[in-house]
Amino acid sequence: MKSPPVFGRMSRQMVQSGTAITVEARAKVNLTLEILGKRPDGYHELRSVVVPVSLSDSLSLACTYAQTVITVTSEAGLDITRLCPADKNLAFRAARLMQARYRLKSGARIHIHKRIPIGGGLGGGSADAAGVIRGLDRLFGLNAPLAELMELGAEVGCDVPALVHGGAVLMEGRGERISGLFGDGARAGCEGFWLVLANPGVMCSTPEIFRKWRAGLTAGRTISHNMISSIRASDVSAAAKALHNGLQTAVYESIPVISETARLLEKAGCLGVLLSGSGASVFGLVRDELHGQEVSRKLEAGLWHVLVRTCPVV
Ligand code: C5P
């Protein structure tokens, strides 16, 4: 069997035990998600405009001479480490991969404070993994090329490379081909959009949702083109018209409470409403912060919702 490549130089990792850094791991929304077909490897070919938002998990990463350990708390002050066992935790897997690839002699003590709903289609687990990859690169002074870190992220999960890259991106392939939308310096005046995220308190299993997907009509490249130009122009009305999620019908049909939540956002006055990723969260684009506050006030107090802003520029 071919052994995995080892990157980086050993001399860069002279880090004292106890040295710590913090990282904000941002959630994402897919403003478009086209499922182009099933691939021979069992995954699906995607084309998706992915944008981080201002809702984040807080990570603290410390160097330790002991083994890598991970603890997780939630916003309610609960220790939920046992709900996120290490073998299923993408952040833990990312840490172990970084250690192996860069021959790190020390372990990492990782604490994740979660605000992003779990199983919510907001890329929480992937954001934490991406945060660990970027964070350990910084903590150990590896200065690895971004492309190398994204490649490593792809081994952890399909959403991870986009979040390692950061900012608004076009994601293609099974998630490993990433193009930043602002690589050409066209960032001036890009303010991002305000949106209300809502989650009805259920979790979606991504593999199950993909299994339920049935091919529908695709509109070629116009969907992503329209979305990309509306992001570059900060034109929220155009973005609302360009919203698209190829998994939405399958999710709304199988879990009615999610489509009911989407209807609540529409009724509250959002410009456009969409399922985020494979669900269970939905989001509604709003004109500005004030409009977002107005929409939020109309939603039931019992429904988890939060007003956020997209962060298109890294
Ligand atoms: O890579 P990740 O673990 O996030 O993917 C979760 C599941 O979503 C995969 O096991 C697969 O069932 C489905 N998926 C897919 N095609 C993709 C991405 C994810 O079928 N491009």
Side-chain angles (χ1 to χ4, degrees):
M1 205 174 80
K2 217 173 114 194
S3 54
V6 175
F7 303 134
R9 269 188 272 123
M10 311 280 279
S11 56
R12 293 182 191 140
Q13 25 165 316
M14 302 303 286
V15 180
Q16 265 198 332
S17 176
T19 306
I21 58 165
T22 56
V23 176
E24 287 304 304
R26 281 182 178 144
K28 58 84 187 167
V29 291
N30 302 75
L31 293 177
T32 66
L33 176 55
E34 297 168 78
I35 320 294
L36 304 174
K38 188 118 190 244
R39 298 158 48 113
D41 62 7
Y43 282 81
H44 291 78
E45 188 71 15
L46 310 177
R47 193 192 294 133
S48 177
V49 175
V50 182
V51 191
V53 297
S54 57
L55 170 71
S56 58
D57 289 345
S58 297
L59 270 58
S60 99
L61 305 169
C63 173
T64 163
Y65 293 136
Q67 282 194 336
T68 291
V69 282
I70 195 155
T71 50
V72 190
T73 49
S74 76
E75 202 52 1
L78 300 172
D79 181 344
I80 56 168
T81 306
R82 280 189 307 156
L83 288 181
C84 315
D87 58 325
K88 296 224 170 66
N89 194 309
L90 299 187
F92 188 77
R93 276 174 27 203
R96 296 300 291 267
L97 256 178
M98 286 292 285
Q99 276 179 299
R101 251 352 114 73
Y102 295 100
R103 288 191 187 154
L104 302 180
K105 286 187 192 135
S106 324
R109 207 169 48 240
I110 301 171
H111 180 74
I112 304 176
H113 184 67
K114 287 212 77 71
R115 292 184 204 90
I116 307 170
I118 297 170
L122 298 170
S126 306
D128 296 344
V132 164
I133 292 171
R134 296 287 300 254
L136 292 184
D137 177 67
R138 183 148 63 91
L139 184 66
F140 289 102
L142 302 171
N143 286 319
L146 187 60
E148 199 171 282
L149 296 177
M150 286 161 60
E151 209 177 291
L152 189 135
E155 292 179 45
V156 179
C158 294
D159 280 338
V160 181
L163 297 166
V164 169
H165 183 286
V169 299
L170 179 68
M171 175 173 101
E172 292 174 287
R174 58 178 249 198
E176 79 287 9
R177 290 207 318 271
I178 303 297
S179 346
L181 301 193
F182 295 96
D184 52 4
R187 59 178 63 193
C190 178
E191 288 160 10
F193 304 135
W194 287 92
L195 48 93
V196 177
L197 297 174
N199 184 298
V202 293
M203 286 191 205
C204 278
S205 150
T206 305
E208 227 170 87
I209 299 302
F210 269 102
R211 265 197 299 278
K212 287 189 174 136
W213 168 80
R214 293 286 166 268
L217 285 178
T218 50
R221 289 212 159 249
T222 48
I223 292 176
S224 52
H225 276 173
N226 291 347
M227 184 54 80
I228 290 168
S229 13
S230 64
I231 293 172
R232 287 188 169 142
S234 301
D235 183 344
V236 70
S237 306
K241 287 196 195 102
L243 291 173
H244 173 88
N245 186 334
L247 296 174
Q248 185 167 274
T249 307
V251 172
Y252 284 3
E253 279 174 9
S254 49
I255 314 174
V257 69
I258 301 179
S259 63
E260 282 156 26
T261 308
R263 235 185 339 266
L264 289 176
L265 284 177
E266 276 160 13
K267 258 179 59 189
C270 291
L271 303 179
V273 176
L274 195 74
L275 177 79
S276 182
S278 58
S281 304
V282 291
F283 65 90
L285 286 173
V286 290
R287 273 190 309 278
D288 49 28
E289 187 175 13
L290 224 59
H291 183 206
Q293 288 165 348
E294 197 184 302
V295 165
S296 299
R297 270 196 299 274
K298 289 184 187 159
L299 296 173
E300 298 156 23
L303 174 69
W304 181 92
H305 62 273
V306 60
L307 176 61
V308 297
R309 203 174 178 165
T310 61
C311 310
V313 178
V314 185

